Amino acid sequence: MSEYIVSARKYRPQNFDAVVGQEALTTTLKNSVKSGKIAHAYLFCGPRGVGKTTCARIFAKAINCLNPTENGEACNECESCKSFDEGRSYNIFEYDAASNNGVNEIKTMMEQTRIPPQVGKYKVFIIDEVHMLSKDAFNAFLKTLEEPPSHVIFILATTEKNKILPTILSRCQIYDFERMSVQNIINHLKGVAEKENITFEEKALSVIAEKADGGMRDALSIFDQAASFCQGNITYKKVIEDLNVLDEDNYFSFVDLALTNKVSEAMVLLNSLLSKGFDGNNLIVGLASHIRNVLMAKDSQTIKLLETSENQAKRYQEQAQKCPTPFLYTALKILNQCDLSYNSSSNKRLLVELTIIEVAQITQKDDDAPSAGRSPKRLKSLFKKLLFNQPKAVQQVTVADGTQTSAAPTSNAAGTNIPQQAKSQLNISPRNTAGKTTGNGSPRQRLKLSSIGNTFANLKNANDTNGNGANAANEIGNQDETNAFTDSELQLQWRLMCNRMPKQMVGIASRMRNMTPAITDYPNIEVAVDNQILLDQMKNIQERIKATLAKTLHNGNINLKLRLADETEIVKTLSKNDILELMKKESEPLTLLCEKFDLELS
């Protein structure tokens, strides 16, 4: 039985034409060989398994070939080529910087650079994973790299170019290797399968190529594993079973169910996948990747960003035609948030289930249906909708000309219903509503205060004209209204009136808020004022206060009396220290605690 060699080694390219997916780089290297313009240092960088070390070996072999071909390839017949193929070349050295990263190893290599090549033109030193060299090793290598002997060429290879010193980078020709495309990997695997007499399904090779994540070496390793598991017949079902990969059909099903808001079916599908041992986070990440591909397939300009087979790309395009773009954006946002929160969640399954439910209800039209799941923002908007759709009582409001009109009450900041026209009478400085529209798109009608009745502002003008409200009866335009009111309604309207007083009266308004008006002999109202100065100030606007309360309470027969409060009625405002002292008197343990630990208020 012949010795088994893994595909990654058996089918490793031996010339530039056999390298997959790096046409631009191999063409440049071949042209360098043909022209004889060889630099003294090269840096090959890129992800793993894309051909960096392979190209370095082919290039080293080609520049030492005694009879290179016209297109820059090695002849494979001269002594230099044969010695390289047989592993006995003394002109090409390969070092692994991961295990030889010290200063001593670099100094030993530098000593070898002094000896000229025995066969061929150059001594080539290939240093793999060069970013693993220590800082001292880099410094020891720097001088030789800058001015090496004419017969020495360095080829450095790395997967992490960012870890290499800028002084090293500036002395090298840099070649950036690209990740392999899925289609390139599939085509190469087809050739390997034909040479090995292995039957395959192209969909199965597509799964292997996507799993390799752009690395040809990884793809060949997975191919060997799948070929062993499938016994020479690589099928899609066996590959996803062997690699524990979620079937792409499940993702298509999830999106179809979400578009039709079939939450129950989506939850059943999710449960079946979790019961098979698939990780919830991997499922969310896979679904996000699938929706991203659907989004890319929606536009002909972005479809080239799909890293999948041609047949799979067609399926993405078909589903993209059914998916609204806002749905895809929102789903990606929800899935990404779940991915970010997954590791910190104490109930990971519940998090995944809630995410699937939310995705399945993005396009749900009937927002008010019972048991319709939604995010907190949606619930908030629903509550607002339910609140403002409640029927409101119609109230009679008397306008300036004495006629009465019906007006639906509007909710104010305190949650109390006030007719819109009466509310306008209390607005001292109405907000600028120019340019605003109503919900149906029509311009919002602005109410003119002069046509509604007296406000607190023009009551002031009346007082100034009539001498402290001499014609108070003329100021009250609703003397025919006799609506009953209670103490609680009176106190509420009193506070609202204080809140609407002009800015120049903010001082007296803040003191009036602390007062409690009361009904003495209905509809007579009495207000006890703390001091004489405040009482004099309030008497100047007494008739304005009376007129405003008459409008808001819908009772034009009220009388307002202001008087100086008795000493027993004045409640002292307690400071923090006063409150603490009262608590000490009522609680002996608190007193002992404060004395024991010498506590005081900060």
Side-chain angles (χ1 to χ4, degrees), residues 315-333:
R315 292 192 65 189
Y316 284 128
Q317 285 181 296
E318 292 173 0
Q319 190 167 70
Q321 300 303 318
K322 300 184 293 183
C323 295
T325 302
F327 163 79
L328 299 174
Y329 287 147
T330 307
L332 284 174
K333 183 178 179 181

Side-chain angles (χ1 to χ4, degrees), residues 18-313:
V19 177
V20 178
Q22 310 295 344
E23 288 78 10
L25 298 182
T26 56
T27 301
T28 305
L29 294 175
K30 285 193 293 184
N31 291 338
S32 297
V33 175
K34 287 191 296 183
S35 63
K37 296 179 180 179
I38 310 298
H40 68 277
Y42 295 86
L43 175 63
F44 294 170
C45 49
R48 69 182 189 277
V50 294
K52 299 185 297 297
T53 306
T54 297
C55 286
R57 291 176 178 176
I58 296 172
F59 186 54
K61 178 181 176 181
I63 60 179
N64 266 327
C65 179
L66 301 178
N67 302 303
T69 63
E70 293 182 357
N71 61 351
E73 296 279 9
C75 68
N76 294 321
E77 296 178 358
C78 65
E79 177 59 25
S80 177
C81 292
K82 290 181 179 179
S83 62
F84 177 80
D85 293 337
E86 296 171 5
R88 54 182 175 84
S89 175
Y90 288 97
N91 294 339
I92 301 174
F93 302 89
E94 189 169 344
Y95 288 88
D96 179 23
S99 55
N100 300 283
N101 57 1
V103 178
N104 294 332
E105 288 83 356
I106 293 297
K107 288 182 177 180
T108 302
M109 184 180 68
M110 294 303 100
E111 292 176 358
Q112 294 178 355
T113 61
R114 301 176 183 176
I115 305 172
Q118 296 177 354
V119 179
K121 301 178 182 179
Y122 302 99
K123 262 197 168 182
V124 184
F125 294 86
I126 301 173
I127 306 177
D128 202 8
E129 302 298 334
V130 68
H131 66 274
M132 298 292 288
L133 289 178
S134 64
K135 185 177 181 180
D136 293 336
F138 268 127
N139 293 331
F141 179 47
L142 186 60
K143 184 62 177 177
T144 305
L145 181 65
E146 183 177 10
E147 297 178 358
S150 59
H151 59 268
V152 173
I153 294 176
F154 293 104
I155 304 178
L156 315 179
T158 179
T159 56
E160 300 184 47
K161 183 173 67 174
N162 59 297
K163 292 186 178 180
I164 299 178
L165 297 178
T167 50
I168 299 291
L169 295 175
S170 65
R171 289 165 171 80
C172 300
Q173 283 191 10
I174 301 175
Y175 290 79
D176 290 306
F177 284 68
E178 300 177 355
R179 294 172 65 250
M180 303 287 182
S181 68
V182 172
Q183 194 59 49
N184 282 340
I185 295 177
I186 292 175
N187 293 337
H188 187 67
L189 293 180
K190 286 180 180 179
V192 173
E194 291 173 359
K195 293 176 183 177
E196 296 291 329
N197 296 320
I198 296 175
T199 58
F200 60 87
E201 292 179 1
E202 185 170 344
K203 193 176 180 181
L205 297 184
S206 177
V207 174
I208 295 175
E210 292 176 10
K211 186 75 172 177
D213 193 26
M216 184 63 74
R217 183 174 61 239
D218 291 355
L220 290 170
S221 299
I222 298 172
F223 176 82
D224 287 346
Q225 176 184 340
S228 177
F229 179 78
C230 300
Q231 293 295 308
N233 181 21
I234 301 178
T235 62
Y236 175 73
K237 290 186 177 180
K238 290 184 178 179
V239 167
I240 63 173
E241 180 183 354
D242 180 39
L243 302 180
N244 196 31
V245 175
L246 192 60
D247 189 351
E248 188 70 20
D249 292 340
N250 292 302
Y251 296 136
F252 282 100
S253 299
F254 268 123
V255 174
D256 290 337
L257 293 174
L259 290 173
T260 54
N261 309 125
K262 295 181 179 179
V263 179
S264 301
E265 289 86 340
M267 295 301 292
V268 171
L269 177 57
L270 172 64
N271 181 70
S272 65
L273 297 177
L274 294 178
S275 62
K276 292 179 182 178
F278 289 104
D279 181 67
N281 192 31
N282 291 339
L283 191 151
I284 292 295
V285 172
L287 182 57
S289 177
H290 173 84
I291 293 178
R292 176 261 180 196
N293 290 340
V294 174
L295 182 62
M296 294 301 103
K298 201 168 181 65
D299 194 326
S300 58
Q301 295 180 345
T302 57
I303 194 171
K304 60 184 178 181
L305 300 179
L306 292 178
E307 296 185 356
T308 185
S309 63
E310 295 180 0
N311 292 335
Q312 196 75 346

Side-chain angles (χ1 to χ4, degrees), residues 284 331-342 351 355:
I284 292 295
L332 284 174
K333 183 178 179 181
I334 294 171
L335 294 169
N336 182 62
Q337 186 59 44
C338 176
D339 182 34
L340 295 175
S341 307
Y342 188 83
L351 175 64
T355 301

Side-chain angles (χ1 to χ4, degrees), residues 340-464:
L340 295 175
S341 307
Y342 188 83
N343 290 333
S344 60
S345 175
S346 59
N347 193 339
K348 293 178 170 55
R349 174 168 181 142
L350 179 61
L351 175 64
V352 174
E353 290 176 340
L354 290 175
T355 301
I356 295 298
I357 291 174
E358 196 167 356
V359 170
Q361 293 182 336
I362 293 175
T363 59
Q364 182 168 308
K365 295 181 179 179
D366 189 7
D367 249 9
D368 303 336
S371 72
R374 61 197 81 252
S375 65
K377 289 185 178 180
R378 282 187 159 193
L379 287 173
K380 185 177 180 181
S381 63
L382 176 61
F383 291 151
K384 283 185 177 180
K385 185 176 180 182
L386 292 175
L387 177 64
F388 287 105
N389 283 345
Q390 295 297 326
K392 299 175 181 179
V394 177
Q395 301 185 18
Q396 297 294 327
V397 179
T398 303
V399 295
D401 58 0
T403 61
Q404 290 187 341
T405 182
S406 299
T410 179
S411 296
N412 60 8
T416 304
N417 290 330
I418 302 175
Q420 183 64 39
Q421 286 126 322
K423 181 179 178 182
S424 301
Q425 294 175 12
L426 292 180
N427 280 339
I428 310 305
S429 302
R431 294 180 181 177
N432 183 13
T433 58
K436 294 185 179 180
T437 58
T438 59
N440 58 9
S442 60
R444 178 179 295 174
Q445 297 293 330
R446 294 186 60 184
L447 296 176
K448 294 183 178 180
L449 298 179
S450 59
S451 64
I452 297 176
N454 294 325
T455 65
F456 214 100
N458 53 30
L459 282 177
K460 177 179 183 297
N461 297 332
N463 282 333
D464 293 342

